Amino acid sequence: MKPTENEGTMASAILVTGGAGYVGSHTVASILERETSPDFEIVVVDNLTNSYRAEGQKKPEPIRIIEELTNKKISFYELDLSDKQALSKIFEKHSIECVIHFAALKAVGESVQKPLEYYQANITGTCTLLEVMRSYGVFKLVYSSSCTVYGEPERLPIDEGHETGRGLTSPYGKSKYFCEEIMKDLCTSDQRWKIISLRYFNPVGAHRSGRIGEDPAGIPNNLMPFIAQVAVGRLPELMVFGNDYPTADGTGVRDYIHVEDLADGHVKAVRLFHQPGFSGFHAVNLGTGTGYSVLQMIEAFKSASGRDIPYRIVGRRAGDIAANYADVSLSHRLLAWRATRTLEDMCADTWRWQSNNPQGFKSS
Amino acid sequence: MKPTENEGTMASAILVTGGAGYVGSHTVASILERETSPDFEIVVVDNLTNSYRAEGQKKPEPIRIIEELTNKKISFYELDLSDKQALSKIFEKHSIECVIHFAALKAVGESVQKPLEYYQANITGTCTLLEVMRSYGVFKLVYSSSCTVYGEPERLPIDEGHETGRGLTSPYGKSKYFCEEIMKDLCTSDQRWKIISLRYFNPVGAHRSGRIGEDPAGIPNNLMPFIAQVAVGRLPELMVFGNDYPTADGTGVRDYIHVEDLADGHVKAVRLFHQPGFSGFHAVNLGTGTGYSVLQMIEAFKSASGRDIPYRIVGRRAGDIAANYADVSLSHRLLAWRATRTLEDMCADTWRWQSNNPQGFKSS
């Protein structure tokens, strides 16, 4: 397999579900930045649950901004994947070659409060998408999965052969695991399917332009946007959940990966579909292979932003694990991909986005 | 807890999904045979995937026959659980107090061939039902689960504390496990729910009237209907999958339970909802606690039917386990229920049904 950077046409159309969200929008940007064919098209569907559309605009802000940045058009449909008929119409209208499926609810804590909503959105949404794809003869799918499927790691770094599904503590994590199992079984039953499930570690950072980035509703669930909102003064202080973990400084260690690296991983996954003989279900970690602790993240962000990050140590949070980082050898081997952006890049790009847009997309 | 046999009113209406199927119809019969209140109502919804409606009849045969046997009326709706609007209308129209949820696809082998159909029917159907129940303030559910959720037993007899979800080999089994997890998470998030998941071992037998029974489409997947069809001459011989298992006679051992006992277990589960303070998710085995081998089943059926059962030993079937039988102590303690019908009853009742109806409901 030799994917080339300038291979031109990727496909006639790529459907991106949840393409107005955080990882989705960066992936759309990454594809359009690389795509040179004039016939190529990106079709985004999103129900706007986790995206913002400005008053009077037809397209959500991230999509509108990517069109500006790339000087290319994106077809956008406001749509929930539960609406099978509306989804089918999009397959009628566009010549879809493959799908990148981000659309999902993703807040771990919220999923514990609203499990039924999470299972319906994430499982039923995925099953409906798979049904519609099959009925239109589309069998290539990149799925947005998570290292959460591994549960508590039995070994580090975690490779893709690590057991999945045991001891999962949130409906969010279970929904990702269930969807992977559904897709595995589907690939076993029907050789036409080619499905790549990308297991993200901890996506952070923002587009280098500083114009698109993570824009969580309410209090952020994840560390990096929380730090960024403290740095910019939107939140008073950071809570560090536990400093008694068996790690170097006692705080939790995670494999943070720059969202632009993650987006590039999707581009590589789509290229893999062109490889002769490629088929079946493949799960691939997307991480850097390196873990950083909460305190290391705070220090790095202080340097990048020049701001103080007041923090307070509080008790451990239920369901959190001590440390987690990826074995990234399969992603090198299969996708010819590796993360290239550093922790400094992650912090600098997050800060550029956050300081230019203190209220997220509503600022623009 | 002291459920009494003659407590009279169970509820204003019980909704039975999949009530025209094998276990569903016997449960409907069992409830109506015990119910003495004139205000009480059974509402059956079924999409007729695994039931038979005779030409010119409004109701499927099992429902029609139960009405004859009990001299009571059953409200029947042909409906797929994916049709949320139609399902909602039934909650509008009837005063539903609790739901017994059988509706599902259940053929293990077919589920490997058609995983997406199984996941959609079993998971999405269940989630949609749960959503509609909640929106109408109905929080009592008896769920039709299976000992399949245990995978390969780590110990025998299997108690409800045995791990679930590991090494499941079919989409059917996974769909039951996933639904249990969804219902557990739902009960954790919302204290109003009362869900009893009944993990069936191997349901066999038929109503003592010989007028309703198991009526599988095509070649039966399960041992007992296969034996019965050989006995009645509809199939030439039985295939015994493996005689080299570590069991007394080398053939697989299962916990067969009479479907009328199983049906009674559902009646007891519904009564448990009346117990003050009962809430949350409870999984309960329904079995006899005794395992019989394939060869023992053949012998018992020969005696009951007076017919020869030609059989041939063939290789093991992928995914089959050596032995499986239930720890039934929780069902005694929690439901005040135990199986009372013997292996001879199971065979005699199956034979009565099969010999009176050699082509199943189409015979009647």
Side-chain angles (χ1 to χ4, degrees), chain B residues 66-356:
Chain B
I66 295 167
E67 287 185 331
E68 276 185 28
L69 290 171
T70 60
N71 201 24
K72 290 180 179 170
K73 286 283 161 208
I74 298 166
S75 301
F76 174 77
Y77 299 89
E78 184 179 348
L79 177 86
D80 194 281
L81 290 185
S82 65
D83 188 344
K84 193 171 176 176
Q85 278 193 310
L87 186 61
S88 298
K89 276 187 195 156
I90 289 164
F91 280 79
E92 291 283 351
K93 191 168 170 191
H94 299 273
S95 176
I96 292 166
E97 169 75 14
C98 81
V99 179
I100 311 180
H101 175 37
F102 296 101
L105 294 174
K106 64 169 186 180
V108 172
E110 185 186 57
S111 79
V112 175
Q113 306 302 318
K114 299 181 173 178
L116 203 48
E117 286 74 1
Y118 271 68
Y119 287 119
Q120 276 287 42
N122 296 5
I123 301 182
T124 303
T126 299
C127 285
T128 302
L129 173 65
L130 293 166
E131 280 184 346
V132 173
M133 287 178 66
R134 185 173 60 187
S135 70
Y136 286 89
V138 179
F139 294 100
K140 296 169 185 159
L141 179 72
V142 177
Y143 178 63
S144 175
S145 188
S146 166
C147 65
T148 312
V149 301
Y150 295 121
E152 183 141 15
E154 283 168 8
R155 57 181 181 269
L156 286 172
I158 293 192
D159 59 273
E160 292 82 353
H162 188 286
E163 190 174 22
T164 56
R166 281 194 90 184
L168 303 186
T169 51
S170 77
Y172 164 75
K174 288 186 198 174
S175 74
K176 290 288 161 185
Y177 166 66
F178 293 171
C179 283
E180 281 202 355
E181 292 300 304
I182 290 168
M183 293 185 291
K184 267 183 217 171
D185 290 339
L186 187 58
C187 289
T188 303
S189 74
D190 184 341
Q191 307 299 315
R192 290 174 298 179
W193 285 97
K194 304 168 198 270
I195 299 184
I196 303 171
S197 183
L198 298 177
R199 294 177 178 161
Y200 309 160
F201 280 67
N202 293 64
V204 297
H207 192 265
R208 63 203 172 283
S209 67
R211 297 196 57 202
I212 62 171
E214 189 168 10
D215 186 20
I219 306 286
N221 293 293
N222 297 329
L223 179 64
M224 190 71 139
F226 207 117
I227 290 180
Q229 292 193 12
V230 172
V232 85
R234 199 169 145 185
L235 290 170
E237 66 174 359
L238 173 71
M239 285 186 296
V240 176
F241 298 104
N243 66 348
D244 57 351
Y245 284 107
T247 58
D249 64 22
T251 63
V253 165
R254 297 291 181 275
D255 184 338
Y256 297 95
I257 174 168
H258 195 297
V259 67
E260 288 209 85
D261 278 328
L262 200 63
D264 292 346
H266 292 72
V267 173
K268 295 295 178 87
V270 169
R271 287 185 180 157
L272 195 53
F273 292 140
H274 298 180
Q275 190 187 324
F278 180 82
S279 73
F281 177 87
H282 300 264
V284 184
N285 288 340
L286 291 188
T288 64
T290 303
Y292 291 106
S293 75
V294 176
L295 297 183
Q296 284 177 301
M297 294 300 285
I298 295 173
E299 278 313 305
F301 206 88
K302 271 164 101 167
S303 303
S305 64
R307 300 287 180 99
D308 194 29
I309 319 281
Y311 68 87
R312 189 157 47 98
I313 307 286
V314 298
R316 291 185 182 192
R317 195 166 54 172
D320 275 356
I321 56 182
N324 196 12
Y325 45 93
D327 182 322
V328 294
S329 51
L330 183 63
S331 65
H332 299 174
R333 213 164 59 238
L334 191 68
L335 304 181
W337 168 93
R338 65 180 74 219
T340 60
R341 290 154 181 97
T342 63
L343 180 58
E344 288 65 41
D345 297 330
M346 300 179 207
C347 292
D349 290 338
T350 301
W351 179 239
R352 188 176 304 113
W353 154 250
Q354 185 69 61
S355 53
N356 289 348

Side-chain angles (χ1 to χ4, degrees), chain A residues 32-47:
Chain A
L32 289 178
E33 283 160 3
R34 275 160 188 74
E35 182 53 45
T36 56
S37 159
D39 300 328
F40 170 79
E41 189 187 23
I42 288 262
V43 180
V44 166
V45 301
D46 201 296
N47 68 0

